[in-house]
Amino acid sequence: MLNSVKRIALATTVSLAALSTAAVASEDIIFSEINVTAVMGAAENANALDVFPEIVTDLEQAIASRVSTGSDASLPTIKIDIRQISLNGNPMLTSLEGFNEISGVVAITDDNNSIGAQSFAVNIAAYPADQIVPEGFVAVPPSQDDFYDAMIEGFADTVAQRIDTIHVN
């Protein structure tokens, strides 16, 4: 029991640190566009967009709340391609089960070359604190009632954290 409490406390501490870092993400870079697409055609039986049709819009809004945006079309852009949404690796979802893994690729493009073109993968997994998280995934510990928000927020926080490490030339 004590070990479970320690794991939960550690997971909570890591999550809070991630959230506080994301709150101050990249005040120096202003983006003209945030475009999220979800093309999961390679995954057979993938139905996440049918079960969660609002996920692209929700993710765009979550990221927009964490970065600065402007109307100048010459500013850098953020393009995200969601490639997998699954429950324990299974792309066939039901609304009752939800999902606990979301993966995508983020591309930062800049026509003015003030930050250059950059891309990186984002893999988010929600697992109980006592469960081993797959290698390469960032864990976010949601409750059963808020898994969807935790996955969206975790993805957006990770994007904002990575953007915060980009330096303007």
Side-chain angles (χ1 to χ4, degrees):
M1 170 112 175
L2 183 58
N3 285 336
S4 291
V5 172
K6 287 180 183 178
R7 282 190 213 116
I8 290 169
L10 176 61
T12 302
T13 302
V14 169
S15 295
L16 289 174
L19 288 173
S20 64
T21 301
V24 295
S26 197
E27 292 295 327
D28 297 334
I29 303 173
I30 300 172
F31 296 94
S32 65
E33 180 183 11
I34 300 167
N35 183 7
V36 177
T37 59
V39 182
M40 294 171 282
E44 190 173 321
N45 296 322
N47 69 339
L49 296 179
D50 296 331
V51 177
F52 300 103
E54 69 286 350
I55 195 165
V56 167
T57 303
D58 291 346
L59 195 51
E60 284 176 351
Q61 291 173 350
I63 293 167
S65 72
R66 289 161 172 76
V67 298
S68 298
T69 58
S71 59
D72 183 349
S74 68
L75 293 169
T77 62
I78 301 172
K79 294 185 181 181
I80 299 171
D81 178 19
I82 300 300
R83 299 195 173 163
Q84 177 188 359
I85 298 172
S86 61
L87 179 63
N88 297 324
N90 183 354
M92 182 55 83
L93 307 176
T94 69
S95 59
L96 298 176
E97 293 173 321
F99 63 95
N100 67 345
E101 297 172 350
I102 183 171
S103 298
V105 175
V106 178
I108 309 294
T109 58
D110 178 18
D111 292 339
N112 294 330
N113 207 23
S114 63
I115 60 172
Q118 301 184 33
S119 65
F120 52 89
V122 175
N123 302 305
I124 303 296
Y127 287 97
D130 59 344
Q131 188 170 347
I132 296 174
V133 177
E135 185 175 336
F137 280 79
V138 175
V140 292
S143 72
Q144 282 184 318
D145 295 333
D146 66 358
F147 80 92
Y148 180 85
D149 289 338
M151 296 302 293
I152 296 297
E153 300 297 317
F155 197 99
D157 288 344
T158 302
V159 170
Q161 288 170 0
R162 293 291 300 269
I163 288 172
D164 197 37
T165 65
I166 297 172
H167 299 288
V168 179
N169 294 330

